[in-house]
Amino acid sequence: MELKMTNNLSIANLPDSLKSDVSTIADVREVEQLKLFVDNIAIELKVGNSISNSFHAYDLWSRFMRNKRKHLPISKSPSKVIVDRDISEKIEGVNYVGRLGISPAILRGDSEDFMAWPSDREEKTEKALIRLASKGRIAKISGKVGNRYAVYFTFSELIQELKTVNQSLNQTELKESLLILKGAELSLSYKAIDSNGEVLESNETIMNYLSAIHFSSGRGRSNVRCVAVLNELMSQQIESVEYKSFYYNRTQSFKRSLSIWLSFRLYRMFRYASPSHTHHFSLIKTMVKFGSLDSDQAVGNRLIVFRRDMTATMKDLMSADIIKSYDIQNSKNDEGIIIDYKYTLYPTDKFCQEIIDLNKHSIRITEKAKKLESVTEGFFEGGDIPLNLNV
């Protein structure tokens, strides 16, 4: 694979806040695991879609606040600021069960500092950041910071990446969004259980959405260079090739956050799509997974609103030629009151072919990974980033 590298990261053009802590930088041409992570050109040329990577279970968990940007002055802080959510997901035959907690970032204000939780905007920024990484704007930095994977970019590059999927954020909004991703904290406690009930993993960790973010300014917006250091879980999954490709442009171009999230989820979860296979889900459980509900016990009178939102999303998916139709069936309690809805989705031929291409790409990357010598043991020597988070 021929990688076109422009404006490579070097110690000379690192932000001043990072220069003294870095002794070596290796780009994707020098690190085998990164070669795999950015090995997307062949499939992009074939299918005509922009490709990015998503991190195994991590990107399927509800890590963002939905439908509103929640900023609060410190003086108006509630007694409880950590948002807790349950984890319940079955991925490739493994059940992930546990709990996550979302802690807000603390941002500086003119007269008063304020708390900010990661929202839909931060999810879009994170997706665009990983898209840039998947295109080759990622390197391994080593030194006092240990060994880390870092995405390097300018604000103009990140703004342009968002524009390719009809998302519009200016430099001020992006900088704040990146600061929230750095400042917000995510606590994870979960078990991975196989079909026989055996516990494969028991993990507990606390980390930021981004481990670090560094800025440096030159003349003009295009010369503002940024370095975002990926968190421990993302780094681990790059090392262990626990990521899957998805179509960035197909999933991120919708106006509705629910449509963005559900289309992404279909490309990640509906891996055996065919004209004879359907995909089904419960409305309430889906809204919990999306993050509009913290638990399936907190529905109240919002069911009608959720159905209206899902109807709009179904129209989006049909217009995008992802599904050709869907069925909806209500569920009632003993009193005859509707308490939930079950959706059945019928994929289009185009979507089925896209899934076939993605599966072939995943197999190709896995086969390449198997041929590599094990490099993970020495990569994080000294305990900089634990590859095994088992407790």
Side-chain angles (χ1 to χ4, degrees):
M1 177 188 63
E2 183 68 23
L3 290 170
K4 294 182 179 181
M5 303 298 295
T6 58
N7 300 319
N8 287 349
L9 189 67
S10 67
I11 293 178
N13 62 25
L14 282 175
D16 292 339
S17 58
L18 190 57
K19 276 183 182 178
S20 61
D21 293 333
V22 175
S23 56
T24 61
I25 296 174
D27 65 29
V28 296
R29 295 169 297 190
E30 304 168 273
V31 183
E32 294 297 335
Q33 298 304 95
L34 290 183
K35 286 182 182 179
L36 292 176
F37 191 73
V38 306
D39 189 359
N40 301 312
I41 295 176
I43 187 172
E44 283 190 344
L45 292 175
K46 177 182 177 182
V47 303
N49 285 317
S50 57
I51 299 294
S52 188
N53 290 311
S54 66
F55 297 102
H56 200 49
Y58 182 71
D59 278 330
L60 291 169
W61 292 332
S62 177
R63 300 182 284 115
F64 299 91
M65 304 296 289
R66 297 301 181 182
N67 303 321
K68 61 181 178 181
R69 196 169 304 150
K70 196 173 182 181
H71 291 184
L72 279 178
I74 295 294
S75 61
K76 296 182 180 180
S77 170
S79 57
K80 182 173 174 57
V81 300
I82 300 175
V83 177
D84 292 314
R85 290 174 176 168
D86 292 330
I87 294 171
S88 179
E89 199 70 75
K90 187 173 183 179
I91 306 170
E92 298 176 358
V94 177
N95 286 300
Y96 293 83
V97 181
R99 197 160 179 80
L100 62 79
I102 304 169
S103 301
I106 304 298
L107 299 184
R108 185 183 300 274
D110 293 333
S111 58
E112 184 178 5
D113 298 334
F114 59 93
M115 297 181 296
W117 286 258
S119 68
D120 293 324
R121 184 186 67 176
E122 282 64 57
E123 184 173 35
K124 293 171 185 176
T125 300
E126 185 186 78
K127 282 287 194 296
L129 197 64
I130 300 303
R131 163 65 179 159
L132 286 176
S134 301
K135 292 169 65 175
R137 308 290 283 173
I138 186 170
K140 185 181 80 172
I141 58 175
S142 303
K144 293 179 182 178
V145 294
N147 294 296
R148 296 289 188 269
Y149 286 131
V151 186
Y152 56 98
F153 57 98
T154 63
F155 278 120
S156 59
E157 288 172 334
L158 194 55
I159 288 170
Q160 186 57 42
E161 202 59 61
L162 285 162
K163 284 183 178 178
T164 65
V165 289
N166 305 317
Q167 307 293 344
S168 178
L169 292 176
N170 60 36
Q171 182 175 319
T172 301
E173 292 170 323
L174 273 179
K175 186 170 184 179
E176 182 181 88
S177 186
L178 290 165
L179 289 173
I180 291 173
L181 289 170
K182 165 61 187 79
E185 196 173 71
L186 185 70
S187 62
L188 289 170
S189 177
Y190 68 92
K191 292 181 179 180
I193 306 169
D194 67 14
S195 57
N196 296 320
E198 181 180 351
V199 177
L200 304 177
E201 300 177 57
S202 182
N203 291 340
E204 186 173 348
T205 187
I206 299 175
M207 60 190 171
N208 298 100
Y209 288 65
L210 289 175
S211 286
I213 181 72
H214 298 267
F215 305 105
S216 64
S217 298
R219 292 182 180 179
R221 180 178 297 180
S222 63
N223 292 323
V224 179
R225 181 168 296 282
C226 314
V227 177
V229 182
L230 299 182
N231 67 33
E232 294 90 336
L233 189 54
M234 290 179 176
S235 297
Q236 177 217 345
Q237 294 198 354
I238 290 175
E239 278 296 296
S240 55
V241 197
E242 293 182 78
Y243 50 83
K244 297 286 186 182
S245 294
F246 71 98
Y247 295 119
Y248 179 75
N249 60 325
R250 292 281 277 150
T251 62
Q252 303 301 299
S253 298
F254 298 103
K255 291 183 179 180
R256 298 177 180 85
S257 295
L258 180 58
S259 301
I260 291 173
W261 177 84
L262 186 57
S263 61
F264 167 78
R265 183 175 177 82
L266 288 175
Y267 279 102
R268 282 292 280 108
M269 299 294 288
F270 200 4
R271 305 299 286 190
Y272 299 101
S274 71
S276 61
H277 286 80
T278 58
H279 181 81
H280 57 84
F281 58 83
S282 153
L283 178 59
I284 291 178
K285 288 183 178 180
T286 297
M287 298 313 286
V288 170
K289 292 179 187 297
F290 174 55
S292 282
L293 283 170
D294 293 331
S295 76
D296 57 11
Q297 303 299 313
V299 182
N301 297 321
R302 301 168 67 186
L303 187 60
I304 295 175
V305 175
F306 292 151
R307 178 175 176 178
R308 181 196 64 201
D309 292 344
M310 188 59 72
T311 296
T313 285
M314 292 295 101
K315 291 179 179 178
D316 283 345
L317 297 186
M318 287 190 289
S319 295
D321 205 17
I322 292 175
I323 64 172
K324 57 187 176 184
S325 62
Y326 70 98
D327 294 332
I328 181 171
Q329 181 179 4
N330 61 53
S331 299
K332 298 180 180 180
N333 61 16
D334 294 338
E335 287 76 36
I337 299 173
I338 296 175
I339 56 174
D340 201 355
Y341 293 93
K342 178 183 177 181
Y343 287 77
T344 301
L345 309 189
Y346 299 85
T348 63
D349 292 342
K350 179 178 181 179
F351 177 82
C352 293
Q353 185 58 52
E354 288 173 333
I355 291 298
I356 290 173
D357 291 331
L358 286 173
N359 287 341
K360 288 180 179 178
H361 177 64
S362 179
I363 292 171
R364 184 169 64 87
I365 296 300
T366 300
E367 289 176 347
K368 284 188 175 183
K370 289 179 180 178
K371 294 178 182 179
L372 291 176
E373 293 182 359
S374 176
V375 296
T376 56
E377 292 183 3
F379 185 80
F380 293 119
E381 283 183 359
D384 294 313
I385 298 178
L387 284 178
N388 187 346
L389 301 175
N390 290 349
V391 294

